[in-house]
Amino acid sequence: MLSRGAAGGRALRGVARAGRQLPSRGLRSSPRCRSAMPSWVIDRYGRNDVLRFTRDMVFPIIHFPNEVIIKVHAASLNPIDLSMRSGYGATALNMKRDPLKLKSADTEFPLTLGRDVSGVIMECGLSVSYFKPGDEVWAAIPPWKQGTLSEFVVASGNEVSFKPKCLSHTEAASLPYVGLTAWSAVNQVGGLNQNNCSGKRVLILGASGGVGTFTVQLVKAWGAHVTAVCSHDASALMKKLGADDVIDYKSGNLEEQLKALPLFDFILDNVGGSTEKWALDLLKKWSGATYVTLVTPFLINMDKLGVADGMLQTGVTVGSKTVKIQPVIDEVFSFSEVPKAFLKLEGGHARGKTVINWNKRLFTLIERCPGHSSLLCQSDHKVALVTAQLNNCIHLPKNSSMLNLCSRMDQQKW
């Protein structure tokens, strides 16, 4: 005697054997759950040789209802990544990561660096109603969380904003953390805004870096008179971004050059060192003028300048939507070149940001084989096989589906 379920199963199999097509109910199985992803990590603190590539980094998990998982399309490096790689602030950050000492493993390793991200929402927590899977977003991830040099990253919803449609992922990834830092320094500490900045004299030391290029544009858009200090080869860039006066710090005694100018209402110091000894003398007296240095210990800045949850939506949104900040990118590296990108940042003399783009090599090849651009379709996570096709300029069969390409890529372990 057969149960109803067994009988039903045999009946369906009988129909299938008879060659009759079964009606479709529009059902599909869930994709296989992933447990690991490619990532650049460190297992100890030190110099650049501590960076290690792995395909087995634990896949991020949504622990809180306000969190989202982002598929990383591009990330960028900041000076804080160099500091964290070397171990500065490790004790304080570990206290922030696990204040109640609940974790069984008393270590932060393997640790992923990277604070900026531009990408696509893949999954949302139960209380996230303002984003949905497929939305293009950007974010600045706080330093106590796992970073963005991975295929995926988890972030709180209030650390994320919609990516401006006018920016590519590469451009967008260059802005969040520097925009957040610049906005916090200028507005939260310096007290400047679009209503009171007109006519104010602003001095930016180290103006050609990521924070500097953002700040020049921000305060200039608010009507300030901007004096930028940089090397001679960055002068044209500073003028293009709106600086009124550009001073080459190599052309003579910088202190004397600046003292010959009218006093300033606000000074942003991205250099530190000897400048901290005499920069205060360049401020207007008894006027509420402010000097802000970003070269003090970064954990102090983290508290003082508001590098914390939720600041991105204020700082970067102002920069991108209100005054149309232009991204300034020094160099773009592929995901395989992360150690090289760190060395570039460590060398100093940047002209904007150092960006990591997952698909950089693919886009380079497309320029060489423009007829194959349609291969991109919707499979950016399967770039390697398509890159191989482009490299050899192989024409795919007309009916080749991306599903087949992805399957072939998996079989060949690209």
Side-chain angles (χ1 to χ4, degrees), residues 384-404:
L385 180 64
V386 184
T387 300
Q389 299 284 353
L390 291 170
N391 238 343
N392 299 312
C393 288
I394 296 174
H395 291 273
L396 295 175
K398 220 175 196 183
N399 298 325
S400 289
S401 69
M402 294 313 299
L403 180 61
N404 291 335

Side-chain angles (χ1 to χ4, degrees), residues 231-254:
S231 62
H232 176 72
D233 59 354
S235 298
L237 172 62
M238 291 298 101
K239 285 291 187 180
K240 181 181 178 181
L241 297 181
D244 299 283
D245 297 322
V246 181
I247 297 179
D248 177 9
Y249 69 88
K250 297 180 180 179
S251 64
N253 187 298
L254 178 59

Side-chain angles (χ1 to χ4, degrees), residues 335-346:
F335 190 66
S336 64
E337 299 174 311
V338 165
K340 186 177 176 181
F342 268 86
L343 290 177
K344 169 70 176 178
L345 180 64
E346 200 166 14

Side-chain angles (χ1 to χ4, degrees), residues 348-364:
H349 306 290
R351 302 293 176 261
K353 290 296 293 294
T354 299
V355 178
I356 312 296
N357 192 311
W358 272 76
N359 299 345
K360 180 202 170 202
R361 184 165 176 258
L362 174 66
F363 295 143
T364 301

Side-chain angles (χ1 to χ4, degrees), residues 264-266 283-291:
F264 296 93
D265 298 282
F266 178 79
L283 292 171
K284 291 180 179 179
K285 312 303 178 187
W286 311 105
S287 65
T290 308
Y291 167 82

